């Protein structure tokens, strides 16, 4: 039976807490297993926060009335997608060895959300959600009658056309595929068509693989709302002004 939960802020009053930019900023990479692909983003956030508490890391809390944990996550995964490379930045009240923090987190976290790496980053760096602008996706389109060549041709046409209109709930949305889709490749494999997509996010939005594949298959004569997809994010990075990619860790 565990003992009393430690209070990360100790005896300090909210007005005495350090400025957030001065606090140690621990960046953690973790996975989201296929089994949790349909677990929503808010549920992931709540689960990770509980794991941090179970690990008894000395996390910092905000100065507001709710005294929430100071934690930032990378962009939300689309529902139905898994990942090798999700991230969160945790503000700590004190410096601890990142390897020790990772070990404690791993022991307190379900294997399907297992953390894999941890390191300190600049406390004044931009928020993860806006800084990570590039993603690579592995997509399997199961039982795709169109084949890789036809699907590839349709994706090329969508990229050349630029604007793609789609529905998100009841709202009509638009995405510029010519900018948001950096590159792609498709190949026939046993059971369907495998694709690798490199996408770019911006203030205008992010391209979801499901949206792109739905539009491509509709153009290839297979209708829309195709749900036989297996989507996995395999890398994230920041795209610098010179076009080079900067790793989160």
């Amino acid at each position: 039976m565990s003992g009393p939960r430690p209070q990360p802020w100790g005896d300090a009053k909210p007005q005495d807490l350090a400025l957030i930019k001065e606090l140690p900023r621990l960046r953690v990479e973790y996975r989201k297993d296929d089994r949790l692909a349909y677990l929503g983003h808010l549920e992931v956030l709540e689960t990770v926060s509980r794991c941090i508490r179970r690990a008894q890391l000395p996390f910092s809390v905000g100065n507001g009335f709710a005294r929430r944990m100071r934690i930032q996550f990378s962009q939300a995964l689309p529902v139905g997608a898994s990942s090798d490379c999700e991230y969160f930045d945790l503000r700590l009240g004190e410096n601890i060895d990142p390897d020790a923090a990772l070990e404690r987190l791993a022991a307190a976290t379900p294997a399907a959300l297992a953390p894999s790496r941890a390191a300190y980053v600049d406390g004044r760096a931009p928020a993860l959600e806006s800084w990570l602008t590039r993603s690579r996706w592995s997509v399997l389109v199961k039982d795709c009658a169109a084949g890789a060549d036809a699907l590839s041709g349709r994706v090329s046409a969508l990229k050349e056309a630029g604007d793609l209109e789609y529905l998100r709930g009841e709202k009509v949305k638009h995405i510029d595929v010519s900018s948001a889709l950096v590159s792609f490749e498709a190949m026939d494999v046993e059971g369907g068509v495998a694709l690798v997509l490199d996408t770019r996010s911006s203030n205008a939005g992010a391209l979801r693989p499901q949206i792109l594949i739905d539009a491509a298959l509709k153009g290839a004569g297979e209708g829309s709302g195709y749900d036989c997809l297996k989507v996995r994010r395999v890398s994230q990075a920041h795209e610098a002004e010179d076009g080079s990619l900067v790793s989160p860790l």
Side-chain angles (χ1 to χ4, degrees):
M1 184 173 180
S2 60
R5 179 179 299 168
Q7 299 300 317
W9 53 86
D11 297 325
K13 298 178 180 179
Q15 62 267 28
D16 298 328
L17 297 176
L19 294 174
I20 187 169
K21 64 182 180 181
E22 299 173 352
L23 295 170
R25 182 176 178 179
L26 184 69
R27 178 163 297 170
V28 177
E29 179 184 75
Y30 68 99
R31 64 185 303 219
K32 184 183 180 187
D33 193 81
D34 290 344
R35 292 170 293 169
L36 301 184
Y38 288 91
L39 188 69
H41 185 60
L42 291 180
E43 294 169 302
V44 171
L45 268 58
E46 291 171 359
T47 302
V48 169
S49 296
R50 288 197 297 270
C51 294
I52 290 170
R53 289 183 168 88
R54 282 200 296 267
Q56 297 189 338
L57 295 182
F59 61 85
S60 174
V61 297
N63 295 354
F65 176 79
R67 310 286 293 273
R68 292 187 178 89
M69 182 184 298
R70 281 175 162 155
I71 186 170
Q72 294 178 328
F73 288 82
S74 51
Q75 286 188 13
L77 274 172
V79 175
S82 58
S83 177
D84 295 323
C85 55
E86 298 307 290
Y87 298 91
F88 65 82
D89 283 352
L90 179 66
R91 297 285 183 167
L92 299 176
E94 61 184 76
N95 273 295
I96 62 172
D97 181 73
D99 291 335
L102 182 63
E103 183 177 352
R104 287 159 65 175
L105 268 176
T109 304
L113 286 173
S116 54
R117 294 191 293 168
Y120 286 107
V121 297
D122 187 352
R124 294 169 174 77
L128 270 173
E129 188 174 8
S130 60
W131 186 74
L132 290 175
T133 52
R134 290 284 295 273
S135 292
R136 172 166 287 190
W137 307 86
S138 171
V139 182
L140 174 63
V141 187
K142 299 178 182 178
D143 304 320
C144 182
D149 288 343
L151 189 56
S152 182
R154 184 55 187 163
V155 171
S156 294
L158 290 171
K159 182 172 175 62
E160 184 176 350
D163 182 68
L164 173 62
E165 181 180 290
Y166 64 97
L167 285 175
R168 189 170 182 186
E170 298 182 353
K171 293 185 177 180
V172 176
K173 298 283 188 177
H174 291 262
I175 187 75
D176 181 4
V177 180
S178 63
S179 173
L181 181 60
V182 180
S183 65
F184 69 93
E185 57 179 307
M187 64 193 76
D188 291 307
V189 296
E190 184 177 355
V193 175
L195 298 98
V196 176
L197 309 174
D198 281 300
T199 63
R200 174 187 294 116
S201 60
S202 66
N203 292 335
L207 178 63
R208 293 171 179 253
Q210 177 82 55
I211 299 299
L212 180 69
I213 301 305
D214 277 354
L217 289 172
K218 183 177 181 181
E222 293 207 21
S224 60
Y226 204 84
D227 60 358
C228 294
L229 295 179
K230 185 177 180 181
V231 180
R232 189 171 189 87
R233 181 147 59 187
V234 295
S235 71
Q236 293 193 75
H238 169 72
E239 185 175 14
E241 292 184 2
D242 61 3
S244 61
L245 299 183
V246 182
S247 173
L249 288 171

